[in-house]
Amino acid sequence: MKKHIITLLLLIGCITAFGARVERPKLVVGIVVDQMRWDYLYYYYEEYGESGLKRLLNDGFSCENTMIPYVPTVTAIGHSCVYTGSVPAFSGIAGNSFMLNGKSVTSVTDTTVHAVGSNISNPDGKCSPRNLLANTIGDQLKIATDFKAKVVGVALKDRAAILPAGHSADAAYWWDGKAGHFITSSYYMDNLPRWVENFNKSNHTEPNFDIKTSNKGVTFTFRMAEAALTHERLGKDDITDLLAVSVSSTDAIGHAFSTRGKENHDVYMQLDKELTQFFRVLDREVGRGNYLVFLTADHGAVHNGNFMNEHKLPGGGFSSTPTIEKVNNELSKIFGVSGKYILKISDCRIYLDHNFISNQGLDLCKVRKAAVDVLRQDPQFAYVVAYEDVANSTVPHFLRERITNGYHRLRSGDIVVILQGSHQHGTVSPTYKGTSHGTWNPDDSHIPLLFMGWKVKKGETNTPTYMTDIAATVCAMLHIQMPDCCIGNAIQEVWK
């Protein structure tokens, strides 16, 4: 009798175990605010409403010491890192643009696809995630749910919609400035869904209107995200979905007007207003406590050099044109062959022209070493190092690691230059009032990271965390495998 009771209990236990479901939220929402410095959380704090950014800070968990673990700190790398938990060394996204098979491409260039929702030959539609060599949170969510989960990306910038959504996304939508509405590419679908066509009829601008430097860009982004939420019925069943939203206008306005002033103030007030409305929609459509949301940035921004100098603080900018001219002239003298040794400089990465060097019968290693020696004579550079020699350089250890993480051997070029502190990419003329980013310095690499909603406890930590930890954290909470190239660690304080 005792034996039968034990057998029955074991059978009941097995049925219960196999019948139980893994506990997950109905929806994961990722929000990346392009060029949002960490200190914007507090610089504008007193002016935020109670239900936008303050709701994230007061009801959620803030990782106050989150850093970007690579250089250069630019948009495409940041968006891919957030969702892959990886760095350019593995993801292959080496910049907003980079050299691939001898050609300059953007991070999402794909000539095998065409625009959908715009002229079929529109180059703005020839985009896909195929240049991304790693998979994403959304891809892992698809695998874990036998591809039943829905994954959608929305942004004004193509790379900010495509890279977060990942390879197996149902859709990614970005803004076509020529047409003045949202489009996608044939990588995802042959025709825009009817709801997108209807949305575009009600939410559009005149052709060639620069929405990215307008607060309207923030509004249209969240309206499109809300429309996707509703019409794709995200979070409406027991299968967890993912909505990736990126706010691009904050970056364009920062580049044009810098980190201070009316324009930057106003776009963050608009962001706060739109977040308030967006959270209301999530509460209504998915249910408070049924969704997990995180908010972060793809990079920060340095204060304008003229602004810094006015207050007796160091600051300045780097212009690549005179640097290219100087190096080409010096190398022509050294090797006795006149020509363009440097193909281009992008985000402080120097691409030597391998074809020219080879055709002249020159040794690439010797040319690279000579170029490094010439560049080191320039006082605007704190360090100059050939990528292949980083491990043996005198660059500080933490910076060597960031350089190595940011280097993809087939896409990142030959040499990297590290600017002096508080200096930015781009020339700082006497009338220049904008800003830029790309360096290792905290201005560019210290980013906000907040979680709110499902299973998230209130609180904050100043323990060092990294952009690469975001994907690991979300996947750990969902009990799914982290992305295949993820190098981050789950931030357990978020929910434990």
Side-chain angles (χ1 to χ4, degrees), residues 30 55 140 246 319 325 340 435 438:
R55 178 175 168 185
Q140 291 294 342
S246 180
S319 176
E325 292 177 356
K340 296 182 179 179
T435 187

Side-chain angles (χ1 to χ4, degrees), residues 240-276:
T240 304
D241 300 318
L242 171 66
L243 176 60
V245 184
S246 180
V247 181
S248 305
S249 292
T250 44
D251 180 71
I253 288 172
H255 279 298
F257 301 103
S258 191
T259 59
R260 293 292 184 265
K262 182 179 186 302
E263 294 83 3
N264 199 66
H265 166 274
D266 289 354
V267 75
Y268 277 91
M269 294 304 104
Q270 191 69 36
L271 171 65
D272 187 55
K273 177 182 176 182
E274 299 302 340
L275 282 172
T276 297

Side-chain angles (χ1 to χ4, degrees), residues 85-99:
S86 194
V87 293
F90 301 113
S91 73
I93 302 301
N96 294 331
S97 63
F98 44 83
M99 300 299 294

Side-chain angles (χ1 to χ4, degrees), residues 163-217:
L163 297 174
H167 297 274
S168 60
D170 295 272
Y173 301 104
W174 57 94
W175 190 261
D176 176 10
K178 296 181 181 68
H181 61 228
F182 282 98
I183 63 169
T184 187
S185 82
S186 57
Y187 177 88
Y188 303 97
M189 59 192 74
D190 295 325
N191 299 287
L192 286 180
R194 180 63 59 84
W195 70 263
V196 177
E197 292 179 345
N198 292 335
F199 178 89
N200 283 337
K201 290 177 183 178
S202 303
N203 300 271
H204 61 85
T205 66
E206 292 298 317
N208 300 312
F209 173 75
D210 187 8
I211 195 172
K212 291 178 184 176
T213 55
S214 166
N215 292 345
K216 185 179 291 187

